[in-house]
Amino acid sequence: MLTNYCMYDCAYCINRRSNDIKRATLSVSELEEITMEFYRRNYIEGLFLSSGVVRNPDYTMERLTAIARDLRTIHRFNGYIHLKSIPGCSQELLNEAGRYADRMSVNIEIPKEESLKLLAPEKDHKSVFTPMKMIQQGVLENKEDRKKYRHAPRFVPAGQSTQMIVGATKESDKDILTMSSLLYGQPTMRRVYYSGYVSVNTYDPRLPILKQPPLVRENRLYQADWLLRFYHFKVEEIVDDLHANLDLEVDPKLAWALRHPEAFPVDINTADYEQLLRVPGLGTKSITCNELTSQFSQPIIGINELHPERLRPLLISKAQQKRAAEEQQLTLDFKEG
């Protein structure tokens, strides 16, 4: 991180402008030197470069771009560079940064704009989606250029990513995954990351009271994200109006299977690929078929005799039940004001 100074006062951020914390800023040359020293000693293979917003978006983005440019052109840094794009910066700076970064990201932070405006009044979704579109345009244009000119320089070859905060606002998992699905519909979006909210500014009444980050929920969202990207699931199959939040006790694929007993059993000798992907325990590359046998206290004679309500407790370990129960007991007290 280039600096933890920031001009914004986002309620969920430890570096918000109104917080009385120690601040520090690295110069461009200092950050380059630190990176190269770590790289030469084989401590790191790449750099994820971010920053608080100082003065204005262009000023901050110019410094981040200068670091990436110097590392590539002066220091001959060949490692991976993930560059945080600053919402509101100019397209010229984004275009230059994209020539030196492998991946760029703009964090959407909150899936619904009304919630974002509540916790970060100085931000809006337009300031996020605009640079996303700029990066996307640059990547697509670069692909066409490289078809015509073999040695055309690359532009953000690893695409772009974004991040959403989980648990700081009232949005359901359905809201979050719907936004993720829309983002994955863009040709250059590679990853959506989910970050469980950490209660760092407990004095702010706009924020929920959490004893610990919602880590189980965060994990379930990553599992659901995997189903969207690799298992051909749609958002409405994973979450719906009756199940707006993911089950904390079982993974999303198993939860779907328990809600749809009519889809089973599946004959792996005749089922098509889409059907096989929906069987719990079957992956895109590996298969595990562990039958439910007499190891259970109540032996199961035939798999066809199982009903979801009987199958569910057999599949959930005591440790899973305990972790889910602990998270469900957390206080989500969203105070108005």
Side-chain angles (χ1 to χ4, degrees):
M1 197 166 187
L2 182 64
T3 180
N4 64 345
Y5 281 94
C6 193
M7 60 183 283
Y8 295 128
D9 200 34
C10 306
Y12 46 78
C13 183
I14 187 63
N15 296 321
R16 61 186 296 185
R17 181 180 66 241
S18 58
N19 270 358
D20 184 17
I21 61 172
K22 291 184 178 180
R23 308 281 180 168
T25 300
L26 294 170
S27 68
V28 170
S29 59
E30 285 174 332
L31 201 146
E32 292 171 4
E33 182 180 352
I34 292 170
T35 301
M36 291 308 301
E37 285 297 318
F38 283 174
Y39 187 61
R40 292 189 188 102
R41 295 172 183 173
N42 206 30
Y43 292 166
I44 61 171
E45 295 180 353
L47 170 67
F48 172 49
L49 184 56
S50 182
S51 178
V53 183
V54 184
R55 296 189 186 178
N56 57 66
D58 273 355
Y59 176 82
T60 305
M61 192 66 199
E62 188 175 11
R63 292 165 68 83
L64 296 179
T65 302
I67 292 168
R69 182 184 61 241
D70 290 351
L71 286 174
R72 294 295 196 208
T73 60
I74 297 176
H75 303 287
R76 303 301 175 186
F77 178 76
N78 293 319
Y80 184 86
I81 295 181
H82 182 153
L83 196 63
K84 171 74 180 297
S85 306
I86 304 299
C89 74
S90 69
Q91 184 166 2
E92 291 75 19
L93 285 171
L94 279 178
N95 290 341
E96 183 180 6
R99 295 200 292 269
Y100 306 110
D102 295 283
R103 173 170 288 183
M104 297 182 71
S105 61
V106 193
N107 288 347
I108 194 168
E109 297 179 349
I110 307 293
K112 286 191 174 181
E113 184 156 20
E114 56 266 32
S115 294
L116 178 65
K117 296 294 288 184
L118 173 66
L119 299 185
E122 299 154 302
K123 294 182 178 180
D124 56 38
H125 276 177
K126 181 181 178 181
S127 65
V128 176
F129 291 134
T130 298
M132 277 186 180
K133 291 179 180 178
M134 291 179 183
I135 296 170
Q136 175 181 306
Q137 180 182 353
V139 172
L140 297 178
E141 289 178 353
N142 183 251
K143 285 184 178 180
E144 293 300 317
D145 290 342
R146 289 183 63 81
K147 290 179 182 178
K148 299 176 183 178
Y149 311 104
R150 182 179 177 184
H151 298 292
R154 290 183 177 273
F155 183 91
V156 196
Q160 58 179 317
S161 62
T162 190
Q163 178 177 275
M164 283 187 277
I165 301 169
V166 178
T169 51
K170 298 178 181 179
E171 276 79 4
S172 66
D173 293 335
K174 180 184 176 184
D175 297 324
I176 295 171
L177 291 172
T178 298
M179 175 60 74
S180 297
S181 181
L182 291 173
L183 292 170
Y184 283 134
Q186 304 302 314
T188 62
M189 182 59 64
R190 296 292 177 264
R191 285 297 305 273
V192 176
Y193 293 94
Y194 309 95
S195 178
Y197 169 67
V198 179
S199 296
V200 291
N201 300 320
T202 55
Y203 60 85
D204 196 315
R206 294 172 292 176
L207 296 168
I209 300 173
L210 295 180
K211 295 180 181 179
Q212 63 187 38
L215 298 180
V216 178
R217 184 184 179 192
E218 176 187 303
N219 182 54
R220 294 291 181 236
L221 283 167
Y222 275 114
Q223 291 172 326
D225 185 279
W226 206 260
L227 295 182
L228 290 175
R229 290 190 294 138
F230 301 112
Y231 285 77
H232 302 200
F233 275 77
K234 296 179 180 179
V235 172
E236 55 269 25
E237 294 178 298
I238 303 172
V239 284
D240 54 33
D241 292 336
L242 294 177
H243 308 89
N245 289 304
L246 297 168
D247 194 322
L248 297 181
E249 292 185 331
V250 298
D251 68 77
K253 189 178 180 184
L254 179 54
W256 176 87
L258 290 171
R259 293 199 303 269
H260 295 278
E262 73 281 358
F264 303 95
V266 172
D267 186 342
I268 63 173
N269 298 304
T270 60
D272 61 28
Y273 183 65
E274 298 286 338
Q275 290 176 295
L276 292 176
L277 284 180
R278 290 169 180 261
V279 177
L282 301 190
T284 57
K285 296 182 179 180
S286 61
I287 296 178
T288 57
C289 299
N290 298 319
E291 284 197 37
L292 298 173
T293 62
S294 58
Q295 62 179 298
F296 298 102
S297 57
Q298 297 178 355
I300 299 167
I301 299 173
I303 195 71
N304 292 327
E305 298 175 12
L306 286 178
H307 297 285
E309 60 272 14
R310 185 185 176 196
L311 182 59
R312 181 187 179 89
L314 297 177
L315 294 169
I316 305 173
S317 69
K318 291 184 178 179
Q320 287 175 305
Q321 294 177 28
K322 182 179 179 181
R323 286 195 297 269
E326 288 175 349
E327 185 157 313
Q328 287 173 333
Q329 291 171 5
L330 295 180
T331 303
L332 295 174
D333 183 13
F334 290 91
K335 297 180 180 178
E336 301 294 336

